[in-house]
């Protein structure tokens, strides 16, 4: 956003008074100017690009996780374990790696049990945290207008529209 803002300021710096006046102090005059329309068009293009990228990445992350959940594990014997993925021979490995250990009871040696080194209950929250952090990282991106039109009075700095967790595409990807 800073690079776009700088490019606009450098490009219109020499325009002076008129339709593209960066030093405009009258909010009404700015509201009718071609500069306001240009900045608004640029902002909408940025939001559209951000939305397209976000939607593609939400789908990509969903597919990434689902592809790693698809392989079938076949255990024929203790020394014969195979991952099978009928759709793709060169499938990527599993999403998480865990170790299986023997937990021996200190009182009786015959009461040993097997357990994972990492609790299986921690896997789903870990994936959801990464997903939610990715979507939420798009929130709060400042818009261009107050940074370019610094001579106008701004009570707040508007933010760019972004993909929300409640949107159908995002909610569906999260629930899968």
């Amino acid at each position: 956003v800073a690079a776009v803002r700088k490019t606009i300021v450098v490009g219109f710096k020499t325009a002076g008074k008129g339709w593209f006046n960066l030093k405009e102090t009258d909010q009404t005059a700015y509201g009718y100017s071609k500069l306001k329309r240009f900045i608004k068009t640029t902002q909408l293009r940025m939001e559209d690009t951000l939305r397209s990228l976000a939607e593609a990445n939400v789908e990509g992350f969903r597919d990434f996780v689902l592809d790693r959940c698809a392989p079938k594990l076949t255990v024929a014997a203790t020394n014969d374990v195979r991952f099978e993925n009928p759709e793709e021979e060169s499938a990527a490995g599993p999403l998480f790696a865990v170790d299986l250990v023997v937990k021996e009871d200190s009182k009786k040696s015959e009461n040993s049990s097997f357990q994972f080194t990492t609790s299986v209950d921690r896997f789903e929250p870990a994936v959801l945290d990464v997903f939610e952090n990715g979507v939420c990282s798009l929130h709060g991106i400042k818009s261009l207008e107050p940074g370019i039109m610094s001579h106008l009075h701004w009570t707040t700095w508007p933010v760019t529209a972004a993909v929300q967790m409640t949107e159908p595409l995002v909610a569906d990807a999260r629930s899968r």
Side-chain angles (χ1 to χ4, degrees):
V1 174
V4 173
R5 189 179 305 128
K6 183 179 178 183
T7 302
I8 292 172
V9 169
V10 168
F12 290 116
K13 182 171 43 175
T14 58
K17 292 186 176 187
W19 290 112
F20 297 103
N21 183 9
L22 291 174
K23 296 180 182 176
E24 183 65 64
T25 56
D26 182 11
Q27 189 78 34
T28 307
Y30 171 68
Y32 290 109
S33 72
K34 292 181 180 180
L35 181 60
K36 176 170 177 74
R37 283 185 270 166
F38 176 79
I39 293 172
K40 185 66 173 176
T41 302
T42 305
Q43 182 71 33
L44 290 172
R45 285 183 178 186
M46 285 175 44
E47 289 176 2
D48 182 56
T49 302
L50 184 64
R51 173 165 291 280
S52 298
L53 290 171
E55 288 175 354
N57 283 307
V58 162
E59 291 172 345
F61 186 78
R62 178 200 62 208
D63 294 343
F64 172 80
V65 171
L66 291 177
D67 286 348
R68 269 119 193 110
C69 294
K72 179 182 173 188
L73 177 66
T74 304
V75 180
T78 56
N79 61 351
D80 186 13
V81 179
R82 290 182 302 256
F83 281 102
E84 298 174 13
N85 188 348
E87 298 173 7
E88 194 176 308
E89 287 300 319
S90 64
L95 192 57
F96 294 101
V98 294
D99 291 323
L100 187 63
V101 294
V102 177
K103 182 179 180 184
E104 294 187 20
D105 190 353
S106 60
K107 297 178 185 174
K108 297 180 183 179
S109 62
E110 58 269 353
N111 286 345
S112 299
S113 63
F114 292 101
Q115 69 181 34
F116 294 112
T117 54
T118 304
S119 172
V120 179
D121 297 334
R122 294 176 56 193
F123 295 151
E124 183 179 349
V127 172
L128 290 177
D129 283 347
V130 170
F131 180 81
E132 290 168 1
N133 287 341
V135 172
C136 291
S137 69
L138 302 174
H139 300 165
I141 299 173
K142 294 181 177 182
S143 69
L144 295 171
E145 211 167 17
I148 295 170
M149 300 304 296
S150 57
H151 291 86
L152 294 175
H153 175 70
W154 298 94
T155 55
T156 62
W157 196 309
V159 294
T160 303
V163 176
Q164 301 295 318
M165 291 296 292
T166 56
E167 291 184 26
L169 176 74
V170 178
D172 177 58
R174 186 183 185 284
S175 68
R176 295 178 118 203

